[in-house]
Amino acid sequence: MIIKKITDLTDEEKTTLINRNKMNLENIYPIVREILDNVKNNGDSALKEYTKKFDKVDIDDFKVHKEEIEKAYNRIDYKIIEAIEKAHDNIKSFHEIQFKNLKEWEINKNGIKAGQIIRPIEKAGCYVPGGRAFYPSTVLMTVVPAKVAGVEKVVVVSPPNGTEGNPATLVASDIAKADEIYKIGGAQAIGALAYGTETIPKVDIIVGPGNIFVTAAKMMVYGNNVAIDFPAGPSEVLIICDEKANNDYVAIDFLAQAEHDPNSSCIITTTSKEKAEAIKNKIMELINKNIKRKEIINSSLKNSAILYGNLDECINLSNEYAPEHLEIITENPREVLKYIKNAGSIFLGSYSPVPVGDYASGTNHVLPTSRCAKMYSGLSVDTFIKKPTVQELTKEGLESISDIVITLAEAEGLYNHAESVKKRLI
Amino acid sequence: MIIKKITDLTDEEKTTLINRNKMNLENIYPIVREILDNVKNNGDSALKEYTKKFDKVDIDDFKVHKEEIEKAYNRIDYKIIEAIEKAHDNIKSFHEIQFKNLKEWEINKNGIKAGQIIRPIEKAGCYVPGGRAFYPSTVLMTVVPAKVAGVEKVVVVSPPNGTEGNPATLVASDIAKADEIYKIGGAQAIGALAYGTETIPKVDIIVGPGNIFVTAAKMMVYGNNVAIDFPAGPSEVLIICDEKANNDYVAIDFLAQAEHDPNSSCIITTTSKEKAEAIKNKIMELINKNIKRKEIINSSLKNSAILYGNLDECINLSNEYAPEHLEIITENPREVLKYIKNAGSIFLGSYSPVPVGDYASGTNHVLPTSRCAKMYSGLSVDTFIKKPTVQELTKEGLESISDIVITLAEAEGLYNHAESVKKRLI
């Protein structure tokens, strides 16, 4: 982990920092291509083959039925069920307000009505990572915005846990009102959602995070009659903090991010060398104090840095970095926010650590990583809707713009385009 | 061109119809890969090589300078300049209202503020097809929404016309206030925008239609630090019309679409066999009357069909087809609109032919084709913005949801996530 003045970073250091975690998916494309083609051609039997090979289990029926869901409720602590329900309610409320802020509209001027309507995507597939770990929160974050958007069929896929689905994943899917759940993971699950099999329906969009095989498969099916959210990389945070920020808070937030994945990146930008060193000491003190998930955290440090400079330099670096999560712990975080150009989700002040957005405040945690925040937003109701434009002209309206259409159509050599207007004005 | 009862379509006929124009991009991926890699590694010198090879011209400086733009104004008819200006004003007005309908919002409940802000993408590249043909309208449709969204740098690329840029393309770029224009086309232009060269800046998103090499290149650079709008295929229309629709209008709209490209698709769904035959006769009559672009039109007929059934069947077929352009010429088109699920842009009534949206009414003409309207919207201000979520909690707000975060984080094994909340509530 480097600790350095922002303006002293060499070009190479800066490039390495900014281009963290460039996944080299191309190496695994041939393997993934084979899996996808096999699923496309052989459907369920290919899924069985890969589930035996990768998940080490024979599954005859990938579909999770009602009885298995009911059983799942008895297999987990009531406290967890309750937490999933409360998180669900908050996430649903947030996304409902998001939906209400999407407006259909129409203007009517000189005989020309023009506007936009909102239509949900019909079928969505939500990939939820699983296997040994389980992420009921990711079920909520992918299923809820799709349901709020009005998607007719929301399908959850997640790797099996033994021959059964992970109980927390099933309970979360049930609470979020997913329409169908299948015990299938990996690139083969993406193939199933993209092409459809005897039991799993083809969907129109596939969302949700996964390992590099899942990400490569999403990239490869993209555009072939299926949309995806965005390529997912390891989780990351950038924290902009000033002298007054509480070192304990900054240090634990850094570590909370670092525990995600051995390739996670955590960047702190702060306003003085002394502050940078004080934060670093606090981080090291916590790491040395028998912290949980220590190995993962130590591995993440290679992608991490503590940098200092004036507040403008901190902000500019953050904008270039385009972090998935951005914490602003400064005296006036709303003032800093004005200058933020690129970030997936932004956490202001001392009492807004990233985990509140991961689980409970209602905002979505499926966010663009690896600099994708420069062009993408996180998952939202928008992900699951289209906004077709609509227009209706009167004869007078058509007449009023006919010269533009006829001149440009003829200039572009599209004579029948011009004709379609002329014929109506005879 | 088939003319058939909707319910009599065989599964194979229906599949062929719906899956029109599946482009087989995979065959050309190796060629495009080579071009992209060459541009990535050799920058401008690779661009010169390909421009000589494909456009048969030596270009030393790809950048279009002020003098060349000024000259362009003198090279085209004043009537065309005026039409471009008027079209620009209408397109700008429409997209400005679109922008105003995107709202930043925040709720504040129990010490938890949460909402969304709007931020433009910083740099956008607009691909405008060229060479022998030229499309000033496409310049407007790609540059204007980016500028309205607040994109800082909007770059137009378009193939050279001899050693100069096409004058109409240059004039349209100037009127739309594009920041930079380059005379470069094909897959090499996409590579230049994706990776940057000595003269052409790397952008964050590439939009606009192109031939299959351009489309393949867009698909291949997608996700590598650059976003794209969507894969573009040949243009298409579906017309839903009832007995009262004017056969002349329906026939010319069918032909106006068919003249686009030898692979265009035109589908008419109507409410009786007699109407279907009357429309077919009208189309044939016009084709036989020395129509312009006859060869292209005749080729398009292979992807085209006139189908009949009751209005529900017409609507259902349209929803499955998910057309780029949808005309609804029925007694009550707004009633039909309620049931439309998938379409790029929708044209209601007798006086709203597709060409008004292509050029002049203000709506965008860069639209999802080849069934992509099931999951994508056309180009809009949304294409060029991100909506990061923002949250700010008070200590009490954090306290109120701490149990959810701690329970779920610990259930998912992310102990330092839980810790980041606990530390703040001591």
Side-chain angles (χ1 to χ4, degrees), chain A residues 101 103, chain B residues 99-105 116-118 387:
Chain A
N101 276 282
K103 301 251 181 268
Chain B
F99 188 68
K100 273 187 206 135
N101 275 281
L102 300 177
K103 302 251 182 271
E104 298 197 334
W105 59 273
Q116 274 187 297
I117 57 172
I118 290 172
K387 296 181 178 173

Side-chain angles (χ1 to χ4, degrees), chain A residues 6 43 48 66 105 152 166 196 230 236 247 271 288 331 377:
Chain A
I6 293 173
K48 282 177 197 172
K66 217 178 150 192
W105 59 273
E152 288 170 27
N166 177 285
F230 36 73
E236 58 198 35
N247 294 342
T271 41
N288 292 329
E331 203 170 355
S377 310

Side-chain angles (χ1 to χ4, degrees), chain A residues 44-74:
Chain A
D44 284 349
S45 83
L47 299 185
K48 282 177 197 172
E49 180 189 329
Y50 291 120
T51 302
K52 191 172 175 71
K53 185 170 172 187
F54 299 126
D55 303 296
K56 315 283 177 213
V57 63
D58 281 307
I59 293 199
D60 273 330
D61 183 4
F62 291 100
K63 183 156 185 162
V64 175
H65 297 280
K66 217 178 150 192
E67 306 72 48
E68 193 174 338
I69 296 170
E70 281 164 9
K71 224 172 89 186
Y73 276 93
N74 297 320

Side-chain angles (χ1 to χ4, degrees), chain A residues 173-207:
Chain A
S173 300
D174 188 57
I175 289 171
K177 299 198 169 49
D179 297 287
E180 295 173 13
I181 316 169
Y182 296 94
K183 292 172 278 192
I184 180 79
Q188 59 274 23
I190 303 303
L193 292 171
Y195 308 124
T197 70
E198 298 90 324
T199 57
I200 300 180
K202 186 221 169 310
V203 299
D204 303 312
I205 184 169
I206 302 172
V207 301

Side-chain angles (χ1 to χ4, degrees), chain B residues 193-326:
Chain B
L193 292 171
Y195 309 123
T197 71
E198 297 89 324
T199 58
I200 301 181
K202 185 221 171 306
V203 299
D204 303 312
I205 184 168
I206 302 172
V207 302
N211 64 21
I212 56 163
F213 291 94
V214 170
T215 299
K218 279 170 69 182
M219 297 288 284
M220 291 173 85
V221 300
Y222 164 76
N224 292 296
N225 252 323
V226 70
I228 65 169
D229 45 358
F230 35 73
S235 196
E236 59 197 34
V237 73
L238 189 143
I239 304 174
I240 299 175
C241 59
D242 64 13
E243 305 297 322
K244 296 196 179 163
N246 180 315
N247 294 343
D248 284 326
Y249 300 175
V250 175
I252 188 66
D253 292 356
F254 178 100
L255 294 166
Q257 194 64 44
E259 76 173 335
H260 257 290
D261 182 305
N263 292 312
S264 289
S265 305
C266 311
I267 310 290
I268 293 170
T269 63
T270 188
T271 41
S272 78
K273 188 177 181 185
E274 294 66 38
K275 188 72 179 174
E277 277 169 357
I279 293 168
K280 191 193 172 180
N281 293 339
K282 184 56 76 178
I283 289 169
M284 290 308 164
E285 186 191 315
L286 289 170
I287 290 178
N288 293 329
K289 248 200 222 163
N290 239 351
I291 197 165
K292 285 187 174 157
R293 297 173 75 88
K294 195 173 191 163
E295 263 183 59
I296 296 174
I297 288 172
N298 275 325
S299 166
S300 294
L301 294 183
K302 70 178 185 298
N303 295 317
S304 300
I306 305 182
L307 304 167
Y308 53 94
N310 64 39
L311 198 54
D312 281 347
E313 287 161 357
C314 294
I315 293 169
N316 290 340
L317 187 87
S318 176
N319 283 336
E320 271 194 80
Y321 190 87
E324 178 191 18
H325 302 105
L326 170 63

Side-chain angles (χ1 to χ4, degrees), chain B residues 42-101:
Chain B
N42 302 306
D44 284 347
S45 82
L47 299 184
K48 284 178 195 171
E49 180 190 330
Y50 291 119
T51 301
K52 191 172 178 68
K53 184 172 174 186
F54 299 125
D55 303 295
K56 315 284 178 213
V57 62
D58 281 308
I59 293 199
D60 272 332
D61 183 4
F62 292 99
K63 185 156 185 161
V64 176
H65 297 280
K66 216 176 152 194
E67 305 73 45
E68 194 176 337
I69 296 170
E70 281 164 8
K71 224 172 89 187
Y73 276 92
N74 296 320
R75 288 171 65 202
I76 51 171
D77 192 336
Y78 182 70
K79 231 184 123 197
I80 296 176
I81 298 174
E82 203 182 50
I84 293 173
E85 275 170 349
K86 283 189 197 165
H88 171 261
D89 291 349
N90 292 352
I91 296 164
K92 193 170 167 222
S93 292
F94 183 87
H95 289 84
E96 279 172 350
I97 300 165
Q98 198 173 57
F99 188 68
K100 273 187 206 135
N101 275 281

